[in-house]
């Protein structure tokens, strides 16, 4: 069943007009007719089943509210140094599928990529990618995608748990800090992890982040690419907080 988002509150038996994007995809592209059903998430992140009742005028009606939430138990933010080429798009798409709540991109000392005046345009495109990926993965929420001009601005964010994926920690055999943090992370809390770009994170930045309460940790014995590390982290969060609870 197709899955969409709409920026308005819905309730059972309510009739509403489809947005132009939804109408184009569901009616024009998929050739859906009257009584064709689809999932739709409203501005309050509630999931409903709706059906088309007037395809010509793009009118649908809510027929059922579903008690279904596929979001990660914790609010997870990934903070990424600027990666090269199309890697940022991949990070946004796959992290959305894996349940991330917020993605923050920021310049770092050793980053090769420079966004400068292109940042706003890139973030606008990334938000569309996140929207599409959230629909594809049937999320209840679309992740926020943001750009900050320096690591210093992270001090304006509040997280319950703050981590840095640090290559040197992995090289030194550190294996437990990530799992210790996740074991102490409870549903409803927030956790953030920062990932360096291809050039890594400078010692100066590590010290700066530590003053903000961030802790370095390894991500296992292998060295991961800048676009792979966030997926590893999100998968571990899911396994630790979702799959364990199924046992």
């Amino acid at each position: 069943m197709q899955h969409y988002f709409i920026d308005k509150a819905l309730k059972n038996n309510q009739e509403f007009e489809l947005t132009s994007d939804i109408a184009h995809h569901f009616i024009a592209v998929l050739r859906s007719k009257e009584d064709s059903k689809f999932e739709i998430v409203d501005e309050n992140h509630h999931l409903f089943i709706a059906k088309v009742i007037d395809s010509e005028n793009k009118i649908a009606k809510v027929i059922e509210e579903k008690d279904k939430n596929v979001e990660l138990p914790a609010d997870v933010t990934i903070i990424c140094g600027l990666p090269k080429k199309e890697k940022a798009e991949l990070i946004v798409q796959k992290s959305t599928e894996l349940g991330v709540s917020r993605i923050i991109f920021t310049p770092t000392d050793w980053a090769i990529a420079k966004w400068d005046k292109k940042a706003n345009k890139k973030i606008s495109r990334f938000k569309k990618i996140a929207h599409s990926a959230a629909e594809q993965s049937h999320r209840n929420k679309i992740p926020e995608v943001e750009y900050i001009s320096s690591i210093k601005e992270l001090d304006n964010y509040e997280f319950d748990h703050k981590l840095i994926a640090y290559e040197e920690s992995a090289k030194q055999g550190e294996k437990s800090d990530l799992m210790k943090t996740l074991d102490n992370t409870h549903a409803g809390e927030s956790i953030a992890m920062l990932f360096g770009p291809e050039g890594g994170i400078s010692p100066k930045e590590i010290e700066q982040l530590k003053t903000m309460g961030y802790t370095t940790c390894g991500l296992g014995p292998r060295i991961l690419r800048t676009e792979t590390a966030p997926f590893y982290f999100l998968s571990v969060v899911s396994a630790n907080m979702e799959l364990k609870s199924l046992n």
Side-chain angles (χ1 to χ4, degrees):
M1 189 177 293
Q2 293 297 316
H3 186 92
Y4 302 106
F5 292 87
I6 194 166
D7 292 328
K8 65 187 303 181
L10 296 176
K11 60 183 179 181
N12 275 328
N13 298 315
Q14 178 180 343
E15 295 183 8
F16 62 98
E17 183 177 356
L18 299 175
T19 65
S20 57
D21 287 343
I22 296 175
H24 173 73
H25 184 259
F26 195 61
I27 296 176
V29 176
L30 298 181
R31 300 182 182 278
S32 301
K33 306 296 183 182
E34 275 80 3
D35 292 328
S36 296
K37 298 178 182 179
F38 58 94
E39 292 182 348
I40 190 157
V41 177
D42 75 354
E43 64 181 9
N44 298 313
H45 313 302
H46 296 158
L47 173 65
F48 298 89
I49 304 297
K51 68 177 181 180
V52 177
I53 60 173
D54 184 342
S55 58
E56 183 176 351
N57 292 304
K58 305 172 185 177
I59 303 298
K61 181 179 180 179
V62 175
I63 58 175
E64 181 184 0
E65 182 171 3
K66 303 291 288 185
D67 183 18
K68 181 181 178 182
N69 186 354
V70 301
E71 298 303 309
L72 288 172
D75 188 84
V76 183
T77 293
I78 60 171
I79 306 157
C80 302
L82 305 183
K84 295 189 295 183
K85 299 182 179 179
E86 292 80 28
K87 292 178 181 178
E89 295 184 3
L90 180 67
I91 290 171
V92 171
Q93 182 187 59
K94 299 307 177 186
S95 294
T96 297
E97 294 175 14
L98 289 167
V100 75
S101 298
R102 181 190 286 119
I103 305 166
I104 301 173
F105 290 101
T106 182
T108 52
D109 290 344
W110 293 349
I112 298 171
K114 306 293 182 185
W115 289 7
D116 300 323
K117 296 180 180 179
K118 298 181 289 185
N120 288 339
K121 185 176 180 180
K122 284 180 175 289
I123 293 300
S124 178
R125 184 170 75 253
F126 296 161
K127 287 181 177 180
K128 293 178 181 178
I129 292 171
H131 188 286
S132 178
E135 289 182 338
Q136 184 275 325
S137 52
H138 287 220
R139 294 273 308 263
N140 291 75
K141 298 179 181 178
I142 302 170
E144 299 175 35
V145 186
E146 304 172 14
Y147 174 84
I148 57 176
S149 59
S150 75
I151 280 179
K152 293 179 182 179
E153 293 183 41
L154 290 175
D155 211 18
N156 298 325
Y157 293 81
E158 293 186 4
F159 303 111
D160 296 308
H161 308 278
K162 305 174 183 180
L163 297 169
I164 310 166
Y166 193 38
E167 181 178 322
E168 294 305 316
S169 294
K171 287 180 179 178
Q172 294 166 13
E174 191 285 308
K175 299 178 181 178
S176 61
D177 284 347
L178 173 58
M179 297 312 299
K180 285 179 181 177
T181 299
L182 292 180
D183 285 342
N184 290 315
T185 301
H186 305 291
E189 292 186 339
S190 59
I191 180 170
M193 179 173 274
L194 184 142
F195 304 88
E198 289 85 355
I201 308 170
S202 71
K204 176 184 174 183
E205 289 170 325
I206 293 294
E207 293 307 311
Q208 183 179 7
L209 288 162
K210 285 182 176 180
T211 65
M212 300 181 199
Y214 285 79
T215 302
T216 59
C217 68
L219 297 180
R222 292 163 293 280
I223 302 302
L224 304 178
R225 292 178 181 270
T226 187
E227 70 271 27
T228 307
F231 310 153
Y232 177 99
F233 170 60
L234 288 163
S235 298
V236 172
V237 172
S238 174
N240 199 67
M241 300 194 73
E242 294 180 312
L243 300 187
K244 272 187 178 181
S245 65
L246 298 178
N247 295 331

